[in-house]
Amino acid sequence: PRFAKTTTCSQLFPAWVVGRDSRRMVILANHSSELAASFSRKAKGYIESTLWPFPKITLSEDSRAVHRWNVTPGGGGLFSVGVGSGITGVGCDYLIIDDPVNDALSETERSQAWDWYTQVAFPRTNANARILVVSARLAQDDLPGRLMESEDADLWRFVSLAAINQEGNELGLESEIGR
């Protein structure tokens, strides 16, 4: 927690995605639709900024809501939603799920997040879609844990950013152990 995962993955990354290819559609989910909308607002703000590095890509005049906006040219954009909400009629090239549960110690919430992912969110992905799940790991059977145990786990790349650096970490960081 508190290591800029949300800023990087749920605010900067979606803006970069539609800036690089304005045809791309992003669904951004969080355990709270309010939080998801606030992440969408930040991403939208980057596009409206004078520092936006993709000057030919702008917000569409007819689609600028905080929770759902599109860009022009291309028609891509972002739709933000709370985990558990319906997203019928919306497809995506990128599905970003950031902290899918509010109470990671609640078995009910973890199961509901998994059911929503498998029955609602995953079916909304377009062919060759990319899925990014961002979560502090507080339970073995949370969404990332269930993905690790799924039949298609070999199709996923799991990256663990440990709060405490340890020998053999994935990023090749020099360990503070023994110093």
Side-chain angles (χ1 to χ4, degrees):
R2 313 304 315 156
F3 275 80
K5 297 182 307 295
T6 293
T7 300
T8 304
C9 299
S10 300
Q11 297 170 8
L12 291 166
F13 182 64
W16 180 83
V17 162
V18 297
R20 296 273 298 165
D21 185 343
S22 62
R23 297 167 298 165
R24 299 294 176 212
M25 195 66 199
V26 177
I27 293 177
L28 173 60
N30 182 273
H31 69 270
S32 158
S33 57
E34 246 180 73
L35 275 175
S38 74
F39 303 159
S40 174
R41 181 180 292 111
K42 290 277 192 174
K44 185 174 165 251
Y46 294 129
I47 294 170
E48 294 172 315
S49 168
T50 57
L51 300 175
W52 176 241
F54 308 102
K56 293 181 181 178
I57 309 299
T58 60
L59 287 173
S60 295
E61 290 297 324
D62 61 347
S63 180
R64 295 174 153 240
V66 169
H67 75 284
R68 186 174 192 159
W69 46 264
N70 295 93
V71 294
T72 188
L78 185 142
F79 180 68
S80 69
V81 64
V83 168
S85 299
I87 49 178
T88 303
V90 179
C92 68
D93 303 296
Y94 289 83
L95 171 62
I96 301 170
I97 304 172
D98 186 342
D99 286 331
V101 296
N102 181 44
D103 180 1
L105 301 180
S106 167
E107 185 177 337
T108 300
E109 275 195 56
R110 294 192 310 270
S111 291
Q112 288 172 341
W114 176 251
D115 290 345
W116 178 82
Y117 168 76
T118 58
Q119 297 168 21
V120 177
F122 182 75
R124 304 312 313 158
T125 58
N126 297 332
N128 299 314
R130 303 291 190 239
I131 302 170
L132 174 62
V133 179
V134 181
S135 180
R137 299 291 318 277
L138 300 174
Q140 292 285 64
D141 69 338
D142 59 4
L143 184 57
R146 292 180 191 211
L147 291 169
M148 286 180 205
E149 297 298 322
S150 69
E151 291 179 13
D152 64 352
D154 60 318
L155 300 176
W156 287 84
R157 180 171 182 202
F158 297 94
V159 177
S160 177
L161 302 175
I164 300 171
N165 193 21
Q166 298 175 355
E167 291 291 336
N169 65 69
E170 296 176 47
L171 299 179
L173 302 172
E174 188 174 318
S175 176
E176 296 295 321
I177 299 171
R179 279 191 169 188

